[in-house]
Amino acid sequence: MPRFTHKVFIDLAVWMIGMGVLMGALFPFFVLALQIEKGLTLSFWGATLAAGIAMGAVNFWIAQRVVKPRLQILAHHMQIVESTLRNATYSGDWSQCNAEKCRVIVDSDDDLGKSAQTFNELVEALFRAHDVDVAVRDFSRTLSSQLDLDALCKEALDLLIQHTGAVAGVVLIEENGELTILARYGLKHPQKIGDSDHVRRAMRTGECQRVVFPEDIHIEAILTEFTPREILVVPIDFKEVPLGVVILANTQTFSNEKAHLLQLFRQGFGLALNNALVHDRLQRMAAIDVLTGAYNRRFGFMRLREEFNRSLRNATPLGILLMDLDHFKSVNDSYGHLVGDRVLSKVAETCG
């Protein structure tokens, strides 16, 4: 319909009163058609016009009382959400509004009710997205501050179980072509997990594997005290280099939202795990002699100082074994330094 102004209710008033005037102007002709002789008098015509205007005004007043309050409520809640978003962008404070506080009451099945319902769904989606963003950010921040490999994997598994609702899980890290368990929860025979085809496929393809078991099939599972309904196998990588795998199991199927959330956690875990692995390698390089595989002089003296201080605190004896290889120089002179290196390596291996 044509618009007269930029305000809907003013346009509504124009249309309603205009229709009342039109009906008032036409009514005398209907009276005339009914052969009522006084239907076209000026006073009667004026009366019908006044009645039409009054009816249009009453209809407009009713529309305002019925429709306008609902639109005002919807607009007010929109303003609250907009204000919350604007302030939270810089302050991080979302307390002004949440999915429950900003919800609009849906009291009709017409287009106004559908608008209110759509608004509620939009607010719920907005705050679900915010909750996911907070969870992923906190997950990444927590793990990025941890460089100890064992502690990192244990903390990551705890957070993953907490956010996904899983009842059991394990973290396996690839070391020298083998998968090593660094964290586990609720498992009976975790050493068997690395041989699973699903684990190997996840590591090879870099894609998450979902294994859903039918409800009417009982499975003698590797997970203790419950029969799994679904198992998620999530590979962990960094820049497309596989680092390990996370396996989560639940007595119910994981929702798609939980599976998507796990994919987001996977990115932060991959970065943190790569940093921890690099740190672990550097620590090993700094502490272990490359030739013999034994602790080097610097690290050895540091450990000796720690053990000496512990012995003093606990009043316990401390023993030190010193060894010397007699005539080692003659081995180097007679057979060469390569043979001498092998002798050192063999002695260190025997002593270890």
Side-chain angles (χ1 to χ4, degrees):
M1 298 180 70
R3 297 290 303 276
F4 302 104
T5 68
H6 293 292
K7 296 185 178 180
V8 174
F9 277 94
I10 293 180
D11 285 352
L12 182 63
V14 171
W15 277 104
M16 285 185 169
I17 295 176
M19 290 300 296
V21 170
L22 179 62
M23 293 303 297
L26 294 177
F27 184 75
F29 293 101
F30 288 104
V31 173
L32 185 62
L34 295 174
Q35 297 181 351
I36 299 176
E37 297 179 356
K38 296 183 179 181
L40 290 177
T41 63
L42 186 61
S43 60
F44 184 74
W45 208 333
T48 57
L49 286 174
I53 293 173
M55 182 57 66
V58 169
N59 288 336
F60 174 68
W61 180 83
I62 293 174
Q64 275 198 316
R65 293 297 179 271
V66 174
V67 178
K68 193 173 183 178
R70 290 168 172 79
L71 294 179
Q72 288 175 332
I73 292 173
L74 187 59
H76 176 65
H77 282 73
M78 287 181 177
Q79 290 175 348
I80 294 176
V81 174
E82 185 274 335
S83 175
T84 300
L85 286 174
R86 186 175 61 250
N87 294 333
T89 300
Y90 302 101
S91 66
D93 181 15
W94 290 76
S95 59
Q96 274 186 278
C97 182
N98 55 46
E100 200 60 40
K101 186 187 298 185
C102 289
R103 185 178 182 83
V104 177
I105 297 176
V106 181
D107 58 358
S108 63
D109 296 329
D110 54 12
D111 290 340
L112 282 177
K114 291 179 181 178
S115 298
Q117 182 63 37
T118 302
F119 172 79
N120 291 338
E121 292 172 356
L122 176 64
V123 172
E124 290 175 3
L126 172 66
F127 282 93
R128 276 200 307 269
H130 167 65
D131 292 340
V132 169
D133 180 65
V134 171
V136 173
R137 188 168 60 247
D138 290 345
F139 181 84
S140 299
R141 185 188 300 117
T142 300
L143 297 188
S144 63
S145 62
Q146 181 63 262
L147 288 176
D148 181 78
L149 193 56
D150 291 334
L152 169 69
C153 292
K154 183 180 184 306
E155 194 162 9
L157 182 60
D158 290 342
L159 290 173
L160 290 173
I161 290 177
Q162 172 187 335
H163 285 289
T164 61
V167 296
V170 62
V171 177
L172 301 100
I173 302 302
E174 185 178 29
E175 292 182 329
N176 301 321
E178 298 290 334
L179 288 175
T180 304
I181 297 173
L182 290 189
R184 64 175 183 173
Y185 176 80
L187 298 178
K188 185 165 62 174
H189 302 297
Q191 62 274 11
K192 298 181 180 180
I193 297 178
D195 298 329
S196 168
D197 291 336
H198 297 290
V199 172
R200 288 194 290 266
R201 186 180 301 113
M203 291 290 292
R204 184 178 67 255
T205 63
E207 298 178 355
C208 178
Q209 305 293 313
R210 301 185 69 166
V211 185
V212 181
F213 302 103
E215 293 183 356
D216 56 347
I217 295 180
H218 180 76
I219 298 184
E220 185 64 30
I222 57 175
L223 302 167
T224 184
E225 296 181 356
F226 74 97
T227 299
R229 181 77 174 85
E230 183 177 7
I231 294 177
L232 283 177
V233 183
V234 184
I236 305 300
D237 54 35
F238 179 73
K239 293 184 177 181
E240 299 184 356
V241 177
L243 303 177
V245 66
V246 174
I247 302 174
L248 297 175
N250 202 1
T251 54
Q252 303 295 328
T253 56
F254 292 96
S255 66
N256 289 332
E257 289 187 358
K258 298 296 185 184
H260 293 324
L261 181 62
L262 190 57
Q263 291 286 357
L264 296 176
F265 286 157
R266 169 186 172 186
Q267 300 174 11
F269 189 21
L271 175 60
L273 184 57
N274 180 73
N275 292 339
L277 287 170
V278 171
H279 181 264
D280 186 66
R281 294 190 193 104
L282 292 176
Q283 290 291 93
R284 290 175 180 270
M285 292 173 60
I288 296 178
D289 178 70
V290 178
L291 175 62
T292 62
Y295 291 131
N296 58 32
R297 174 187 175 91
R298 185 184 65 84
F299 189 79
F301 273 108
M302 183 175 67
R303 290 289 295 119
L304 179 59
R305 187 179 299 109
E306 292 174 356
E307 293 300 327
F308 179 74
N309 292 332
R310 183 179 293 108
S311 176
L312 290 179
R313 287 195 307 271
N314 300 330
T316 56
L318 175 65
I320 300 176
L321 177 63
L322 299 177
M323 299 179 61
D324 184 33
L325 297 182
D326 292 336
H327 311 297
F328 181 70
K329 184 176 181 304
S330 63
V331 174
N332 283 332
D333 293 340
S334 301
Y335 303 102
H337 289 280
L338 291 179
V339 174
D341 290 345
R342 293 178 61 184
V343 170
L344 288 176
S345 178
K346 192 63 177 178
V347 170
E349 179 184 344
T350 302
C351 293

